[in-house]
């Protein structure tokens, strides 16, 4: 019997099991211990030499498509890589003709428009069957004008829609005081890192080089320059914010040049401070791509150290080719992968499993962020740093969830040997609790819900509010290391979880399809 698995180099390899000794040739169902043993052996086989684990993080077709669009914006085309990305994108087209955000999902018009545009950029014939089906699906969904804000900004950069199709996000937001209704500290870290370099692009309005002169006018139900309904106007609130958006856009035209230059310089300095080496701005693809385009727009040549570093960070997200296919990850997840793998192997109990788990802990402890006060300090200035990121490095944006998972692994292995790291992690997590008792992922108190109504926020993920999955892990960690059920932080966390339970008894998990989260060892019952 042959079973495929991912080998250490992230490609598939084949395990050949011996034939069954049963008379009819069937293979008896393995027992639970055998299954656990095989899974543990497989996991140990994927451990890196320095003790950590990292697995590919696959999303949908959006990021590979955006990688192609980025290359054509810059005229840094890599035909071989883009051909493999094209194979990957085509293989994920849905039966409905478009591209979904998850296998078997409904058509997502933004993902579909980007996938179609990317394939056309690399040479796919628009009359080919897969392209014709995609075009038909987009038009049936209202046309490319119905895309989300980020997609329309991309289309504006390529000259496919007028700039009025994009919302106003003036670079002068960099100069706003914190008490202002909109401030960078009031949006999530992923929005913040995406927005800042994007404001430079929105201010300077560059045009993609697009050396092959490719356009997608055929995806619009109404010609883009004659389309006047890029933003929904269903409610009085939407009318208000859209009117405000248009006023801001008109006001940008009279912005003094000195003020604009000052704001652009501040945005650039902000990005440079957080550039994060080859791990990239924010450690996620969209900010990395935006800052690279901003560098290009500001005239940084390809060999400029900052631009070269930003380019390298993006290219490192590409997976190893498998045959003629390849994709680009939205980010990498080594600390999360290693923390969970270590806990899983410690649960198995075998000597080899324990040794593998223990081998990962020095790698983890070395990556605890102890000397950088990240953006989270805007709302928690007195909290001591002590968290872990999701990626290899992302010092300005440690992750509460990862910190809880790594803290639990260290405590389980040896609470005395890791006492200092555990105490620093616990102090940071306690400080990051929201007033409602829950925890967000990267910031405390990031629940300014009025901002979800602005035209820029149509993707529905501008904020980082408390969630049940993250909160449950924080409560579990604190209880595991000895916090009592009656401790104020734990009690508030449990109250939040009980209040957040769905009518059907489950808890919603923002960071996955669902979560069976619960108050852990500090059971309320």
């Amino acid at each position: 019997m042959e079973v495929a698995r991912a080998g250490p180099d992230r490609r598939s390899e084949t395990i050949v099991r011996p034939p069954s000794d049963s008379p009819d040739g069937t293979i008896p169902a393995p027992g639970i211990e055998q299954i656990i043993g095989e899974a543990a052996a497989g996991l140990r086989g994927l451990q890196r030499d320095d003790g950590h684990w990292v697995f590919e993080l696959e999303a949908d077709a959006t990021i590979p498509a955006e990688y192609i669009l980025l290359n054509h914006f810059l005229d840094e085309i890599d035909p071989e890589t883009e051909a493999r990305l094209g194979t990957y994108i085509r293989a994920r087209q849905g039966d409905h003709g478009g591209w979904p955000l998850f296998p078997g999902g409904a058509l997502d018009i933004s993902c579909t428009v980007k996938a179609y545009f990317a394939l056309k950029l690399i040479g796919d014939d628009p009359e080919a069957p897969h392209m014709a089906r995609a075009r038909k699906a987009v038009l049936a969904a209202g046309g490319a004008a119905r895309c989300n804000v980020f997609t329309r900004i991309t289309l504006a950069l390529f000259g496919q829609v007028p700039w009025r199709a994009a919302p106003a996000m003036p670079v002068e937001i960099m100069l706003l005081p914190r008490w202002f209704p909109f401030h960078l500290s009031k949006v999530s870290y992923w929005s913040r890192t995406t927005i800042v370099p994007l404001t430079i692009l929105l201010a300077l309005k560059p045009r993609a080089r697009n050396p092959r002169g490719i356009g997608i006018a055929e995806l619009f139900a109404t010609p883009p320059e004659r389309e006047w309904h890029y933003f929904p106007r269903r409610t009085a609130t939407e009318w208000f914010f859209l009117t405000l958006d248009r006023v801001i856009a008109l006001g940008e035209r009279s912005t003094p040049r000195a003020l604009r230059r000052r704001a652009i310089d501040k945005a650039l300095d902000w990005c440079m401070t957080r550039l994060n080496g080859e791990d990239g701005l924010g450690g996620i693809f969209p900010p990395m791509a935006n800052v690279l385009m901003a560098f290009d727009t500001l005239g940084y040549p390809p060999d400029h150290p900052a631009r070269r570093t930003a380019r390298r960070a993006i290219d490192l997200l590409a997976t190893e080719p498998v045959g003629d296919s390849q994709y680009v990850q939205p980010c990498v997840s080594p600390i999360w992968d290693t923390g969970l793998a270590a806990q899983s192997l410690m649960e198995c109990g075998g000597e080899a499993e324990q040794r593998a788990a223990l081998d990962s802990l020095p790698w983890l402890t070395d990556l605890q962020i102890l000397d950088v006060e990240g953006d989270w300090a805007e709302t928690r200035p007195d909290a001591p740093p002590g968290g872990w990121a999701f990626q290899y490095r992302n010092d300005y944006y440690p992750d509460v969830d990862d910190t809880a998972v790594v803290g639990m692994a260290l405590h389980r292995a040896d609470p005395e040997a890791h006492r200092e790291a555990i105490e620093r992690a616990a102090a940071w997590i306690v400080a990051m609790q929201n007033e409602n008792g829950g925890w967000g992922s990267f910031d405390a108190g990031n629940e300014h819900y009025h901002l979800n109504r602005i035209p820029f926020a149509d993707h529905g993920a501008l904020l980082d509010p408390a969630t049940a999955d993250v909160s449950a892990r924080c409560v579990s960690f604190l209880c595991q290391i000895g916090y009592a059920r009656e401790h104020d932080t734990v009690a508030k966390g449990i109250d939040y979880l009980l209040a957040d339970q769905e009518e059907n008894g489950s808890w919603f998990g923002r960071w996955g399809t669902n979560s069976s989260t619960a108050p852990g060892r500090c059971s309320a019952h």
Side-chain angles (χ1 to χ4, degrees):
M1 179 179 181
E2 293 186 352
V3 179
R5 75 172 185 184
D9 64 351
R10 302 189 293 185
R11 301 176 189 233
S12 294
E13 61 182 33
T14 300
I15 305 170
V16 181
R17 290 180 178 167
S20 169
D21 294 330
S22 59
D24 60 359
T26 60
I27 298 177
I32 187 66
E33 293 301 327
Q34 180 183 342
I35 293 172
I36 292 173
E38 291 178 355
L43 190 56
R44 287 190 286 110
L46 296 172
Q47 190 172 22
R48 301 300 177 97
D49 291 342
D50 60 4
H52 86 281
W53 284 267
V54 61
F55 301 100
E56 290 182 6
L57 182 55
E58 185 176 9
D60 52 78
T62 300
I63 301 298
E66 288 181 349
Y67 183 89
I68 292 171
L69 287 158
L70 173 66
N71 285 352
H72 287 253
F73 176 93
L74 300 168
D75 192 10
E76 295 180 359
I77 297 171
D78 178 355
E80 293 183 0
T81 298
E82 292 179 13
R84 291 191 293 268
L85 296 176
T87 299
Y88 176 88
I89 292 170
R90 289 183 212 101
R92 273 137 193 89
Q93 188 173 17
D95 292 339
H96 40 59
W99 278 263
L101 296 183
F102 55 89
L107 175 147
D108 181 84
I109 193 165
S110 297
C111 180
T112 299
V113 168
K114 285 183 176 177
Y116 179 98
F117 199 176
L119 292 176
K120 193 174 179 183
L121 284 168
I122 66 175
D124 282 24
D125 184 347
E127 298 307 319
H130 68 288
M131 298 290 276
R133 288 197 303 120
R135 183 168 62 253
K136 181 179 179 181
V138 169
L139 292 172
R146 303 283 81 82
C147 289
N148 65 24
V149 159
F150 290 120
T151 304
R152 296 203 305 274
I153 292 173
T154 298
L155 296 181
L157 290 169
F158 276 81
Q160 300 304 296
V161 297
W163 278 102
R164 60 179 171 78
M169 185 58 73
V171 68
E172 288 75 22
I173 64 169
M174 300 301 303
L175 309 176
L176 294 174
R178 196 175 186 284
W179 54 260
F180 203 76
F182 181 93
H183 188 266
L184 283 174
S185 66
K186 296 179 180 178
V187 299
S188 65
Y189 115 76
W190 58 89
S191 298
R192 195 177 310 139
T193 51
T194 298
I195 286 171
V196 174
L198 190 59
T199 61
I200 299 175
L201 297 173
L202 291 171
L204 300 178
K205 296 179 172 53
R207 177 65 69 93
R209 288 181 177 80
N210 192 8
R212 297 172 183 169
I214 302 298
I216 53 168
E218 66 272 19
L219 295 188
F220 289 86
T222 300
E225 66 279 3
R226 288 165 44 196
E227 174 65 65
W228 292 97
H229 297 91
Y230 286 107
F231 298 94
R233 301 171 177 86
R234 295 175 295 250
T235 67
T237 302
E238 287 173 342
W239 273 103
F240 170 78
F241 279 109
L242 182 59
T243 301
L244 181 61
D245 181 271
R246 296 301 88 184
V247 169
I248 293 171
L250 288 171
E252 281 194 88
R253 299 176 186 175
S254 57
T255 301
R257 289 186 180 181
L259 182 65
R260 172 134 296 185
R261 185 71 254 174
R262 180 183 163 210
I264 289 174
D265 288 345
K266 187 165 184 179
L268 183 61
D269 288 345
W270 190 95
C271 292
M272 288 295 196
T273 300
R274 296 160 178 77
L275 200 57
N276 197 32
E278 291 187 347
D279 292 285
L281 178 61
I284 50 179
F285 181 92
M288 295 183 198
N290 286 346
V291 81
L292 181 56
M293 288 188 286
F295 288 155
D296 179 73
T297 300
L298 291 168
Y300 287 40
D303 61 351
H304 187 283
R307 176 169 171 171
R308 191 168 60 241
T309 298
R311 176 82 242 191
R312 174 66 174 159
I314 291 169
D315 291 339
L316 284 172
L317 293 176
T319 61
E320 293 292 331
V322 177
D324 63 350
S325 183
Q326 183 179 16
Y327 68 94
V328 180
Q329 304 168 97
C331 64
V332 292
S333 54
I335 292 179
W336 182 251
D337 296 343
T338 302
L340 291 178
Q343 291 209 60
S344 298
L345 291 175
M346 281 189 271
E347 183 72 24
C348 293
E351 182 178 342
E353 287 74 28
Q354 296 298 310
R355 185 168 61 252
L358 293 176
D359 286 346
S360 73
L361 301 185
W363 183 87
L364 282 171
T365 53
D366 284 347
L367 291 176
Q368 189 175 22
I369 303 165
L370 300 173
D371 55 358
V372 176
E373 290 188 353
D375 286 4
W376 53 266
E378 185 79 26
T379 56
R380 296 293 187 268
D382 298 326
W388 276 267
F390 185 69
Q391 304 87 348
Y392 287 103
R393 302 295 315 191
N394 199 6
D395 287 359
Y396 273 81
Y397 305 106
D399 185 329
V400 173
D401 214 5
D402 283 76
T403 301
V405 166
V406 174
M408 285 190 278
L410 295 177
H411 180 268
R412 183 168 190 163
D414 191 332
E416 286 303 316
H418 303 292
R419 176 179 293 278
E420 183 178 353
I422 294 167
E423 289 179 349
R424 289 289 295 267
W428 186 68
I429 284 179
V430 169
M432 293 296 288
Q433 187 175 33
N434 287 356
E435 293 301 320
N436 64 2
W439 281 266
S441 294
F442 303 94
D443 288 293
N446 197 266
E447 299 181 338
H448 303 276
Y449 290 106
H450 67 279
L451 295 177
N452 277 336
R453 303 297 187 92
I454 65 175
F456 190 87
D458 70 346
H459 58 295
L462 195 69
L463 307 177
D464 184 12
T467 61
D469 41 0
V470 176
S471 300
R473 272 183 284 273
C474 290
V475 170
S476 295
F477 165 58
L478 295 175
C479 289
Q480 180 179 317
I481 66 175
Y483 280 56
R485 167 68 175 80
E486 296 74 26
H487 188 281
D488 185 58
T489 300
V490 173
K492 286 173 61 178
I494 292 174
D495 288 345
Y496 166 81
L497 287 169
L498 293 175
D500 197 55
Q501 189 174 19
E502 302 288 333
E503 287 293 329
N504 64 8
S506 69
W507 279 268
F508 173 75
R510 182 178 189 180
W511 297 103
T513 16
N514 67 298
S515 288
S516 56
T517 52
R521 295 188 182 185
C522 291
S523 174
H525 303 291

